[in-house]
Amino acid sequence: MENNERTIKLGLEHLLEDGHEKIVYGALKKLHINTRSVEFDDFLQEARLAYAKAYVRFPQDLQENDRQFHGYAYQAVYWRVLDIIRYRQKEKDVQAVELEDDEKQEARWGHKPSWVERIMSDQLFQEVYKLCTPAEKRFLKACYVEQLSGAEIARKEKVSRQSIYKWRKAVGKKALYVIGKGEDMDYTKALKKRTG
């Protein structure tokens, strides 16, 4: 049977023949996933699909290269399940950090912070805010806290839209400096002049 005639369905049927499912269980065992694991059934299904996909992709004749296919299928199953484990762990880590950040902010504010308080306490926002002129600070608050448009900020501040564009550009440059993309700009000197 040629490679282009193989399908996922045939791969799943092949898995159930001649004890080939040992390959799937062997890969799961190596990854310390056993029948007592809460997610065992999910991993087993993913492993079976990985086997079937390996069956479709295997570049050689299966009957002539049976042993090579076993190794190929084992690796495919192992790597697929390992990728899923890593992805799930990464998701858990992100959720733990977000939960930790929420708890820290709640402890700091004494209550669950509103989105305005979150913006104002954001480290990047604070760093950029420190470098801004008084007009740029008003622009930042109007833009991110009050969520006003450029035209609304211009009316509120009684300035032209051109001034708003200048403030936006200046704040953008300072934000780039803070996140490390504009090392050639030295706003620390400007900050010292204003504060010192």
Side-chain angles (χ1 to χ4, degrees), residues 129-145:
Y129 193 80
K130 285 179 197 174
L131 299 175
C132 289
T133 65
E136 293 164 356
K137 287 178 181 179
R138 290 193 308 275
F139 167 78
L140 268 176
K141 280 185 178 178
C143 188
Y144 293 102
V145 177

Side-chain angles (χ1 to χ4, degrees), residues 12-49:
L12 291 171
E13 289 172 6
H14 186 266
L15 172 65
L16 299 176
E17 297 170 357
D18 302 325
H20 290 136
E21 211 163 25
K22 289 187 288 186
I23 295 169
V24 167
Y25 284 104
L28 292 175
K29 184 177 180 182
K30 185 171 182 184
L31 291 164
H32 307 288
I33 299 168
N34 59 43
T35 54
R36 289 173 285 164
S37 301
V38 176
E39 298 174 317
F40 177 77
D41 290 333
D42 293 341
F43 285 124
L44 180 60
Q45 292 307 319
E46 287 290 344
R48 287 173 173 159
L49 278 172

Side-chain angles (χ1 to χ4, degrees), residues 8 16 22 103 107 113 116 118-119 122-123 131 139 142 178 195:
I8 297 290
L16 299 176
K22 289 187 288 186
E103 289 170 354
V116 172
R118 286 175 188 256
I119 289 172
D122 180 73
Q123 186 176 357
L131 299 175
F139 167 78
V178 168
T195 56

